[in-house]
Amino acid sequence: QVQLVESGGGLVQDGGSLRLSCAASGLTFSNYAMGWFRQAPGKAREFVAAISWSGGSTYYADSVKGRFTISRDNAKNMAYLQMNSLKPEDTAVYYCASTPFSIATGWGTTTKYKYWGQGTQVTVSS
């Protein structure tokens, strides 16, 4: 069974930092691209960041460019999202996702990703 488990969320003040982690099991991790999405109450799930199988290509939503960094450690079956300069509008449940398909295209669409974690809450106070 494929499982993705997010951790690292919490409450942080405006301008603070958090690092989210995603632990993957039940798949050959290095063969899957990884993505992060977020969903605020009453809103649709939106793309945050994605990283290719080898880590050679990364993609970011305009809203987080320059503040967030996605990375992966294939030896540990882990993906990460380092979030700096957090803003109240970053408040959401953050989800880890994976896909066996190339993310050269479609990296920002939820339908691209086959597996999803349970989500971790990030709250940024003003």
Side-chain angles (χ1 to χ4, degrees):
Q1 181 180 2
V2 174
Q3 287 189 305
L4 303 176
V5 180
E6 304 96 332
S7 62
L11 176 64
V12 65
Q13 290 187 323
D14 191 355
S17 297
L18 286 172
R19 190 180 78 158
L20 305 184
S21 298
C22 175
S25 62
L27 76 168
T28 303
F29 186 72
S30 61
N31 290 342
Y32 285 77
M34 303 296 295
W36 288 94
F37 290 75
R38 66 188 183 187
Q39 189 166 22
K43 297 184 178 181
R45 191 167 299 186
E46 67 174 356
F47 170 74
V48 176
I51 188 166
S52 62
W53 302 301
S54 65
S57 299
T58 57
Y59 308 88
Y60 296 94
D62 288 342
S63 59
V64 306
K65 286 180 180 177
R67 300 188 298 120
F68 291 10
T69 303
I70 189 170
S71 61
R72 66 190 297 158
D73 185 339
N74 288 351
K76 297 180 178 179
N77 288 356
M78 296 288 291
Y80 306 96
L81 185 69
Q82 178 66 46
M83 304 184 294
N84 298 328
S85 301
L86 283 162
K87 306 173 182 179
E89 52 263 45
D90 295 318
T91 295
V93 176
Y94 283 70
Y95 296 91
C96 176
S98 66
T99 176
F101 300 106
S102 170
I103 56 168
T105 59
W107 61 85
T109 63
T110 58
T111 55
K112 185 81 168 183
Y113 297 84
K114 186 175 183 179
Y115 300 107
W116 294 82
Q118 83 287 352
T120 186
Q121 177 70 46
V122 172
T123 302
V124 185
S125 61
S126 60

